Amino acid sequence: MENQFLGNQHFNISNQVVSATCPSNIALIKYWGKYANQIPANPSISYTLNHCNTQTSMEFLANEPFSVQTFLAGNEELKFAEKIEKYFKNIEQYLPWILKGKYVIKTENTFPHSSGIASSASGFGAIASCLMSLDEIFSTDNHQPSVINQKASFLARLGSGSACRSLYNGLVVWGKTDEVEGSSDLYAVKYPDEEIHPIFKNFNDWVLLIHEGEKSVSSTVGHGLMNTNPYAERRFQEARDNFVPLKEILKTGNLEKFIKLVEHEALTLHAMMMMSEPAFILMKTGTLEVINKLWSFRKETGHPLFFTLDAGANVHLLFPENESSDAIKNFIETELLQHTQKGGVVKDVMKF
Ligand code: PMV
């Protein structure tokens, strides 16, 4: 299957500078657990964000010995360079020119560094886009933009699984499911816009920065612990099954069922962490306080404010932009912001 992405051995390399911007994404049905070569244990679906993104410029110096130098917000990052070097060596069969030069990669994130917002999704998405721009310049044959983007998604996946979903706007699916035509374990596909009710197309995601700084357990380790988690198979099946009701919910605009499904997915992700061996907990006191307050608020007012979590303590507050959003925004500012470490909130919206 991967053969369709093998690179052409005929190429002409030259000194180049390319750049790309790639947004982050937040999963609704979560990817947690994988097989060899970044094959997901279950399909996942995410919203692509608008403001949280990574801008990357990549300078390629042809015919110099292979090396990678990386800068994050102007500061040299040796560990990141090592990771990228390894990644480039790993994808040589797909881009046969990739080890034939020196790279200087400069990246900037629009969201605060160490905020706990996954920079690997937007980061690898931007790097894969830059690589595909170079590939188009060096290749002797030209490709359709859709083919280029699909290969960018395929390459991003090999850097960080969830990154493959950042190459498309709107709702994006990664992982084979009969519920979504064309879906694949190898790359992400856009969930058809015409199958999505308008209420889901004008959505807010306000990220409360509950805990800024390094996570105690990386997602690489977390995915690995699913291999020995006795509940893993049940969880993978549940995620697969969740695509059936989700499809109906998205089409009919059933917000109530959407809220139930999305919050259940977030809590299941963290439940899996707690049931790993060794167990770990990434939520903090503030995470739980926010969830409890949010539930009371929803019960009392009926306003559709709900949450999801990624592999960290931060809370993604989700709500549609409609007649109740002013009341929701006011509640967040006055009641929830106090549970963040430094008053941090990133106000994002979904990108369609
Ligand atoms: O792409 P990774 O290896 O960083 O894993 C991401 C996992 C979650 O963010 C927790 C869920 C997801 O589907 O994005």
Side-chain angles (χ1 to χ4, degrees):
M1 265 197 310
E2 277 98 338
N3 288 354
Q4 74 183 97
F5 296 109
L6 289 176
N8 190 334
Q9 296 297 335
H10 299 283
F11 49 79
N12 296 313
I13 55 171
S14 52
N15 290 353
Q16 297 292 341
V17 183
V18 293
S19 60
T21 297
C22 186
S24 189
N25 70 72
I26 180 70
L28 302 172
I29 293 180
K30 309 287 182 182
Y31 147 64
W32 196 243
K34 60 178 166 183
Y35 307 123
N37 300 324
Q38 300 272 88
I39 297 300
N42 63 261
S44 56
I45 183 167
S46 58
Y47 260 133
T48 295
L49 297 176
N50 206 349
H51 306 315
C52 289
N53 63 47
T54 298
Q55 290 136 19
T56 296
S57 83
M58 185 181 280
E59 185 177 5
F60 179 77
L61 299 157
N63 297 317
E64 297 228 10
F66 173 63
S67 70
V68 178
Q69 207 179 3
T70 57
F71 295 86
L72 180 57
N75 300 316
E76 185 159 14
E77 288 276 330
L78 299 174
K79 255 174 109 176
F80 188 51
E82 242 173 68
K83 201 169 165 180
I84 299 299
E85 261 190 47
K86 219 170 124 193
Y87 168 60
F88 283 8
K89 286 180 183 162
N90 195 28
I91 58 175
E92 191 189 7
Q93 56 184 316
Y94 306 115
L95 300 170
W97 48 265
I98 198 167
L99 303 181
K100 306 212 177 297
K102 175 185 166 164
Y103 296 81
V104 181
I105 299 172
K106 295 180 182 157
T107 72
E108 311 251 353
N109 294 327
T110 53
F111 44 92
H113 182 50
S114 300
S115 61
I117 296 177
S119 60
S120 65
S122 51
F124 273 102
I127 284 178
S129 292
C130 286
L131 290 174
M132 285 312 294
S133 298
L134 289 178
D135 193 52
E136 273 311 285
I137 299 169
F138 300 159
S139 283
T140 43
D141 36 34
N142 289 80
H143 301 100
Q144 297 284 343
S146 61
V147 173
I148 298 170
N149 210 43
Q150 189 179 70
K151 186 161 173 178
S153 176
F154 170 83
L155 293 174
R157 177 194 117 245
L158 294 170
S160 167
S162 60
C164 72
R165 296 187 309 239
S166 278
L167 274 297
Y168 296 91
N169 291 340
L171 284 167
V172 184
V173 174
W174 167 42
K176 180 83 194 107
T177 162
D178 290 342
E179 303 309 314
V180 181
E181 210 186 310
S183 58
S184 168
D185 285 345
L186 300 181
Y187 46 81
V189 296
K190 198 170 158 55
Y191 190 87
D193 273 349
E194 60 280 10
E195 296 293 316
I196 306 171
H197 189 278
I199 192 159
F200 298 122
K201 292 187 179 169
N202 195 2
F203 238 78
N204 295 288
D205 178 5
W206 283 21
V207 193
L208 288 182
L209 306 180
I210 303 289
H211 178 75
E212 305 191 30
E214 283 274 305
K215 292 188 287 198
S216 58
V217 177
S218 71
S219 51
T220 309
V221 172
H223 285 292
L225 288 171
M226 285 301 273
N227 295 335
T228 52
N229 188 321
Y231 297 90
E233 271 315 314
R234 183 66 199 90
R235 156 63 196 155
F236 300 149
Q237 191 54 45
E238 184 185 53
R240 289 177 204 125
D241 293 346
N242 274 345
F243 270 83
V244 178
L246 182 67
K247 217 174 144 178
E248 180 69 17
I249 289 167
L250 290 175
K251 201 172 173 84
T252 56
N254 191 327
L255 200 50
E256 210 173 305
K257 285 191 179 163
F258 187 66
I259 292 173
K260 212 168 152 189
L261 190 148
V262 170
E263 288 190 347
H264 178 78
E265 275 289 323
L267 293 174
T268 304
L269 168 71
H270 285 260
M272 286 299 122
M273 297 173 188
M274 292 184 220
M275 291 187 287
S276 290
E277 174 59 46
F280 61 105
I281 301 178
L282 296 183
M283 291 186 289
K284 300 278 180 199
T285 311
T287 315
L288 300 178
E289 273 169 339
V290 166
I291 291 173
N292 281 313
K293 272 196 179 174
L294 176 157
W295 276 342
S296 305
F297 172 78
R298 197 164 76 223
K299 206 169 165 193
E300 282 158 23
T301 64
H303 292 321
L305 172 64
F306 60 110
F307 70 90
T308 189
L309 307 164
D310 59 16
N314 296 335
V315 185
H316 287 250
L317 298 169
L318 305 175
F319 54 102
E321 184 64 34
N322 63 14
E323 60 288 347
S324 54
S325 43
D326 279 350
I328 290 175
K329 288 174 187 171
N330 188 43
F331 168 72
I332 296 172
E333 305 269 7
T334 56
E335 294 295 327
L336 301 185
L337 223 51
Q338 57 192 274
H339 299 291
T340 59
Q341 204 175 6
K342 301 180 199 156
V345 57
V346 176
K347 298 175 182 174
D348 214 326
V349 292
M350 309 314 181
K351 191 171 187 178
F352 267 86

